[in-house]
Structure formats: structure tokens, C-alpha cells
């Protein structure tokens, strides 16, 4: 997909829309947004997370403090276990607050994001392909119960009756056993002992069996239904997120986002807040801070250059919002 910057230097084709100069470039952008809205979903999803993953071992696991992550989706199952502090999880328009020891399990193609609450929010994150929990590998469709058990959203709130880090063999509580599986997988990725991949696969299969046999457990909320209205809302958000990702370096107004959603400004404001739990301006600021944070760690660009490339018009605005969402000064990221 071409970036907006590269399109500016192209000669207009036969299907280009010419706008009289007195109407300004904003109307041209509105028409461009409307045209994108009619494209196929596969052609307008740059916010679809596509990180490189080893097809021979499609599993990732890591631990760390999470400040937040913008709304996105991918083809992997994702588990987020809160180790300390509190974390707000946004899934398909819902806002779920998790405390230490609680976890969400999010199925593929679900819109989700995170926002840290307070200063300490250590998490263990696990992502894996459905094919990794199917035998033989690559034939998950042969066992529909496996794909169904990982569909939708699961919220795990283990009761405090037993420690959540007990071994699954000695703990009959399904929620505790699931948390134990995730922590065991995390330890395997940390230690990288010989045979760690086989150990991880074994724990993923344990996790699958626990879920299959605990459908009615009160501590494992499972929500799977997605009706036609849910799909339409997903597609509308997809158009908005796609537009924002494409134009993140440029000024983006509420009117621009509303045009991407084919809604009026007021209708879009209510829709976006209802579906995501935050205003569009809050989402845009969070996304730009995340882009800036990544560039601070991965590039040698100056802070002023990063602020501009992240869509912030002024360094003072960038510094203020960066501290608000990460709790740190941008320069402290450069110092490590």
C-alpha cells in the first residue's frame, strides 16, 4: 500500500478527482476517505498487526510493564496476565479492568487494546497460532471444538482460595491451572533450556484441554457471539483505524475520522466512545505516543523529528502527552 506522502508526487490518473482550488485540500481529503471506505477490508487494514513470526513455532511470550497499546487485531490467540497493578483491556468495544492475578484470553481477529492504570502494571503476554494447539499441526479445522474454545473473549478472575502459581497437576481450579500454564510458558521462554519448544507445546495442549473441560466454570467468562450488528461495527472501526494509520503524520480532525466512518461528527463521537471506551482524540493521542515511543527506542532521530513524524505539531504537546501516557519523559527513553 502506498503511503499518503508517496501519492502526493504521483501524476493524477484517469480516475482522479479534481477539486477546485478555492474549496481547499480538506474537501479533497474527505473525498479520498469516502473512496477508501468502499475498498475491500483486505486493502484497508494497515492497523492489522502483522509481526514476523516463525511459522515452525508460532508462539511468542514476554513479560514487562505495559503503559498501553492502541486498538488493533491479528490472527493469533492472545493472553494477557496481570502480574501486578491494574490494567484496562478494551475488546470489541468493552472496557475490562483487570487486577493482579487476573487474565484475558482474546481470540483471533478481535479488536483489542490496553491501557495501564497507575504506576505499576506488570504483565505476561502470550500469543500463539491456533495450529499450534492442534494435532497434527496445521489441521485445526479437523477439530472444531478447538477453534471454538479459543474464539471470542475469556475473562479469568481466579478466586483467592488457592495460590495462582500452583502446578496444574495439584490444583483442581481451572482458572488457577490456566494461569499456571501461562506462567510455565513464560519461564520456558526466559530460561530457553534444551527442549523448551516441546515444553511450550505441551503446556499449550494442557491449556487447551483445561478450557475444553471447563466451559461452565464460573471463573471463566466466555463470550463468543458476534451478530451482524457486531460485524458492521467492526468494519466501521476498521475503516477509521486504517485511515488514522495511513495519515498518522498529518493533522487528523474529528471531521476526518467521521468521514472515514461515513457518519456525522456527533454520531461518530458517540459511536467511537461507546465502542472503544475513549474519545477519538484520546485514541489518536495514545496511538501517536506509541509510535513515538517505538521510534525513540529504534531510531536515532531527534526528539523534535520524532514528534513531527508522530503527528504532533509542537514539541511541548508531544512532551506533555508522552508523560501523561507513559509516565516518563521522552529523553529518559533515550537514556534507557
Amino acid at each position: 500500500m502506498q503511503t499518503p506522502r508517496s501519492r502526493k508526487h504521483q501524476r493524477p490518473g484517469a480516475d482522479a478527482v479534481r477539486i477546485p482550488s478555492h474549496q481547499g485540500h480538506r474537501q479533497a481529503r474527505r473525498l479520498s476517505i469516502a473512496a477508501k471506505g468502499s475498498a475491500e477490508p483486505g486493502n484497508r487494514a494497515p492497523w492489522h498487526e502483522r509481526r514476523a513470526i516463525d511459522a515452525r513455532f508460532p508462539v511468542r511470550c514476554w513479560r514487562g510493564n505495559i503503559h498501553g497499546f492502541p486498538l488493533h487485531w491479528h490472527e493469533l490467540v492472545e493472553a494477557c496476565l496481570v502480574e501486578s497493578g491494574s490494567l484496562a483491556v478494551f475488546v470489541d468495544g468493552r472496557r475490562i479492568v483487570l487486577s493482579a492475578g487476573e487474565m484475558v484470553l482474546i481470540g483471533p481477529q478481535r479488536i483489542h487494546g490496553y491501557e495501564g492504570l497507575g504506576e505499576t502494571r506488570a504483565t505476561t503476554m502470550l500469543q500463539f497460532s491456533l495450529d499450534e494447539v492442534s494435532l497434527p499441526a496445521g489441521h485445526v479445522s479437523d477439530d472444531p471444538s478447538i477453534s471454538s474454545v479459543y474464539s471470542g473473549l475469556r475473562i479469568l478472575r481466579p478466586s483467592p482460595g488457592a495460590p495462582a502459581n500452583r502446578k496444574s497437576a495439584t490444583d483442581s481450579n481451572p482458572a488457577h491451572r490456566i494461569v499456571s500454564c501461562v506462567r510455565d510458558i513464560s519461564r520456558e521462554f526466559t530460561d530457553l533450556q534444551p527442549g523448551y519448544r516441546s515444553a511450550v507445546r505441551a503446556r499449550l495442549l494442557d491449556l487447551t484441554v483445561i478450557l475444553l473441560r471447563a466451559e461452565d466454570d464460573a471463573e471463566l467468562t466466555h463470550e463468543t457471539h458476534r451478530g451482524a450488528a457486531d460485524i458492521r461495527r467492526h468494519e466501521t472501526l476498521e475503516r477509521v483505524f486504517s485511515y488514522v494509520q495511513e495519515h498518522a503524520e498529518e493533522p487528523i480532525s474529528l471531521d476526518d475520522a467521521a468521514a472515514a466512518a461515513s457518519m456525522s461528527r456527533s454520531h461518530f463521537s458517540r459511536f467511537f466512545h461507546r465502542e472503544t471506551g475513549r474519545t477519538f482524540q484520546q485514541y489518536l493521542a495514545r496511538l501517536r505516543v506509541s509510535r513515538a515511543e517505538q521510534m525513540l527506542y529504534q531510531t536515532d532521530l531527534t526528539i523534535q523529528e520524532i514528534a513531527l513524524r508522530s503527528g504532533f505539531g509542537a514539541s511541548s504537546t508531544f512532551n506533555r502527552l508522552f508523560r501523561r501516557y507513559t509516565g516518563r519523559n521522552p529523553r529518559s527513553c533515550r537514556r534507557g
Side-chain angles (χ1 to χ4, degrees):
M1 179 178 291
Q2 294 172 320
T3 63
R5 188 178 300 276
S6 64
R7 285 197 298 267
K8 291 178 182 177
H9 301 289
Q10 289 184 322
R11 295 176 61 87
D15 57 348
V17 179
R18 295 186 179 274
I19 304 296
S21 58
H22 68 275
Q23 294 183 18
H25 77 283
R26 185 167 294 277
Q27 184 176 349
R29 286 179 67 188
R30 299 266 179 83
L31 288 173
S32 173
I33 297 169
K36 286 184 178 66
S38 62
E40 291 298 319
N43 295 328
R44 51 177 168 79
W47 63 285
H48 174 186
E49 185 184 18
R50 295 186 178 94
R51 294 184 182 179
I53 190 168
D54 187 350
R56 297 167 299 178
F57 185 59
V59 185
R60 286 194 291 260
C61 189
W62 67 97
R63 297 186 64 175
N65 290 333
I66 187 169
H67 300 295
F69 198 87
L71 295 167
H72 64 291
W73 66 277
H74 44 68
E75 305 292 345
L76 303 174
V77 177
E78 181 167 303
C80 175
L81 169 62
V82 178
E83 301 287 3
S84 63
S86 299
L87 183 71
V89 185
F90 299 88
V91 183
D92 286 343
R94 287 193 56 189
R95 183 178 187 269
I96 304 152
V97 176
L98 301 179
S99 300
E102 298 179 337
M103 187 178 105
V104 289
L105 192 63
I106 304 168
Q109 300 183 359
R110 292 282 174 163
I111 297 174
H112 60 285
Y114 302 97
E115 181 177 323
L117 303 175
E119 295 184 0
T120 305
R121 49 265 181 179
T123 60
T124 296
M125 304 293 296
L126 170 66
Q127 294 179 337
F128 59 92
S129 167
L130 279 177
D131 289 337
E132 198 60 26
V133 293
S134 176
L135 293 177
H139 293 278
V140 68
S141 59
D142 293 343
D143 190 348
S145 60
I146 291 179
S147 57
S148 65
V149 82
Y150 284 112
S151 65
L153 165 70
R154 286 184 181 272
I155 307 169
L156 285 74
R157 301 188 189 274
S159 62
N165 59 354
R166 288 178 60 182
K167 295 295 183 182
S168 59
T170 60
D171 188 353
S172 61
N173 184 294
H176 290 152
R177 294 168 64 196
I178 290 170
V179 170
S180 178
C181 283
V182 172
R183 286 181 172 151
D184 285 348
I185 291 171
S186 176
R187 281 191 289 270
E188 292 293 341
F189 271 90
T190 299
D191 298 339
L192 296 179
Q193 294 292 316
Y196 84 95
R197 290 189 174 190
S198 296
V200 167
R201 289 189 173 105
R203 301 307 284 153
L204 286 175
L205 290 174
D206 285 344
L207 174 62
T208 302
V209 172
I210 296 168
L211 290 170
L212 284 169
R213 296 178 178 179
E215 281 294 312
D216 298 325
D217 192 277
E219 297 180 5
L220 305 178
T221 305
H222 191 193
E223 302 171 8
T224 60
H225 178 69
R226 297 181 76 184
D230 295 321
I231 294 173
R232 286 194 297 271
R233 290 196 297 269
H234 185 289
E235 291 174 347
T236 299
L237 286 171
E238 185 177 342
R239 291 199 301 272
V240 174
F241 295 151
S242 176
Y243 176 77
V244 169
Q245 289 283 0
E246 286 190 63
H247 298 272
E249 297 183 20
E250 307 169 18
I252 299 176
S253 70
L254 185 61
D255 288 332
D256 294 329
S262 301
M263 295 179 180
S264 68
R265 176 190 176 104
S266 58
H267 185 192
F268 173 73
S269 293
R270 293 191 297 270
F271 165 81
F272 195 88
H273 190 273
R274 182 179 67 247
E275 296 300 319
T276 68
R278 63 189 72 185
T279 67
F280 174 73
Q281 289 85 353
Q282 289 170 336
Y283 164 74
L284 183 60
R286 172 70 262 184
L287 175 69
R288 286 174 165 167
V289 167
S290 294
R291 289 167 62 94
E293 189 172 19
Q294 186 175 22
M295 283 189 277
L296 283 167
Y297 285 114
Q298 298 180 358
T299 75
D300 294 324
L301 296 172
T302 67
I303 290 179
Q304 184 174 5
E305 288 173 326
I306 289 174
L308 292 175
R309 293 195 182 194
S310 302
F312 294 100
S315 296
S316 58
T317 302
F318 169 58
N319 290 331
R320 175 171 53 82
L321 290 175
F322 194 91
R323 284 193 297 269
R324 175 187 299 176
Y325 286 106
T326 70
R328 303 179 65 186
N329 184 290
R331 295 187 184 279
S332 66
C333 296
R334 279 286 163 83
R335 293 193 297 267

